[in-house]
Amino acid sequence: QVQLVESGGGLVQAGGSLRLSCTASGSTFSTYNMGWFRQAPGKEREFVAAISWSDTVYADSVKGRFTISRDILERTVYLQMNSLKSEDSAAYYCAADVPIRGYRLEITTNKDEYDYWGQGTHVTVSS
């Protein structure tokens, strides 16, 4: 079992910044591909960003504004969100794509392919 604990959500004005954190259990954290997804009221959960051992992938809607990173020793993945817009308001979830052995070679943006999820942290961007 992988446990994911998220933090960092809150209320921010448009144009501002937030940094979300997600700390994972597991000594093999470095092998996980980690993703961030978001879900606004009335909408489906959508891909935001993901990181593997070597690569990052971003949704077009956040490219250039958001940065995903991780600290292996702290077993934590971050989502730095800059230039926030009202349409970024959503519940943000981190997720882990956990391989049985070794590293995943590819990042998936499909939420159905992630194995573990955090409880979510709300981000509200005021105009």
Side-chain angles (χ1 to χ4, degrees):
Q1 294 290 320
V2 175
Q3 306 295 324
L4 305 176
V5 180
E6 304 162 353
S7 63
L11 175 65
V12 65
Q13 294 185 9
S17 299
L18 284 175
R19 188 178 74 161
L20 307 183
S21 300
C22 175
T23 299
S25 65
S27 61
T28 57
F29 171 73
S30 63
T31 71
Y32 306 168
N33 288 351
M34 300 294 298
W36 285 97
F37 294 76
R38 66 187 182 187
Q39 187 168 17
K43 294 186 177 181
E44 296 294 319
R45 191 169 299 184
E46 66 175 354
F47 172 78
V48 176
I51 186 168
S52 70
W53 69 277
S54 62
D55 297 311
T56 57
V57 176
Y58 296 93
D60 289 341
S61 59
V62 307
K63 194 172 300 181
R65 299 187 297 120
F66 291 10
T67 302
I68 188 170
S69 62
R70 64 172 156 189
D71 185 324
I72 299 299
L73 292 179
E74 297 295 328
R75 300 198 298 257
T76 300
V77 62
Y78 302 96
L79 185 68
Q80 178 66 45
M81 305 185 296
N82 298 325
S83 301
L84 283 163
K85 307 173 182 179
S86 60
E87 53 262 44
D88 295 318
S89 296
Y92 282 73
Y93 300 86
C94 69
D97 182 9
V98 180
I100 297 175
R101 296 183 67 181
Y103 293 83
R104 289 287 299 269
L105 298 179
E106 298 180 357
I107 293 174
T108 180
T109 62
N110 184 352
K111 64 182 185 297
D112 295 330
E113 297 187 23
Y114 284 79
D115 303 297
Y116 299 95
W117 293 84
Q119 293 183 337
T121 184
H122 280 85
V123 172
T124 302
V125 183
S126 62
S127 60

